[in-house]
Amino acid sequence: MAMAFRMATTGMNVSDDCKSMFLELKRKKVHRYIVFKIDEKTKQVLVDKTGGAAESYDDFMASLPDNDCRYAVFDFDFVTVDNCQKSKIFFIAWSPAASRIRAKMLYATSKDRLRRELDGVHYELQATDPTEMDIHVIRDRAN
């Protein structure tokens, strides 16, 4: 009952595209990252951009707007201290200081709805400034 109430309050749907792209990132490693946005007219979370498997964390950071909120997932590959290749998926709620108050509120209240659809995320970050999610933060969390 609580879940139905929460969905009713935000009224946000997650497009099938979001789910299928996430599965492609998780299982097939087709994408390095996916950026999601909320379409206020259709009340849906949609795919905004994707980055190919060869793209870097810098490419991902450059894909986020300076003045608007987004959600994103990033597939971080790294090598452990015992030389094992690993991969961790990060969910990032991007809410820069320059974005509109309405957008910040909408993204904050709709986050859990999208997050529930993305099964397989290892870590979650919230960032209002690029330094809160730079590569060192990601690397520290992954290890």
Side-chain angles (χ1 to χ4, degrees), residues 102-135:
R102 177 176 166 73
K104 290 179 191 179
M105 291 180 67
L106 186 60
Y107 275 77
T109 57
S110 303
K111 182 183 71 147
D112 290 343
R113 175 77 181 97
L114 173 62
R115 195 52 193 82
R116 275 196 302 276
E117 298 289 343
L118 306 179
D119 185 38
V121 167
H122 299 103
Y123 300 105
E124 186 174 316
L125 288 175
Q126 294 198 29
T128 57
D129 178 273
T131 60
E132 295 174 344
M133 56 184 251
D134 75 13
I135 193 66

Side-chain angles (χ1 to χ4, degrees), residues 46-65:
L46 306 170
V47 172
D48 186 26
K49 297 176 188 166
T50 60
E55 291 202 34
S56 70
Y57 195 72
D58 287 340
D59 296 326
F60 164 66
M61 293 286 285
S63 75
L64 296 172

Side-chain angles (χ1 to χ4, degrees), residues 2 4 10-11 29 44 50 68 87 90 114 128 135 138 141-142:
T10 64
K29 305 290 187 186
Q44 274 200 88
T50 60
D68 202 3
S87 173
F90 282 80
L114 173 62
T128 57
I135 193 66
I138 298 292
R141 289 288 294 276

Side-chain angles (χ1 to χ4, degrees), residues 60-102:
F60 164 66
M61 293 286 285
S63 75
L64 296 172
D66 295 332
N67 60 354
D68 202 3
C69 302
R70 292 290 185 273
Y71 304 119
V73 288
F74 184 85
D75 188 7
F76 180 65
D77 292 333
F78 63 102
V79 178
T80 64
V81 285
D82 27 348
N83 215 25
C84 292
Q85 184 69 39
K86 293 257 184 162
S87 173
K88 297 287 182 188
I89 298 172
F90 282 80
F91 176 88
I92 299 164
W94 173 240
S95 184
S99 50
R100 300 178 345 261
I101 299 284
R102 177 176 166 73

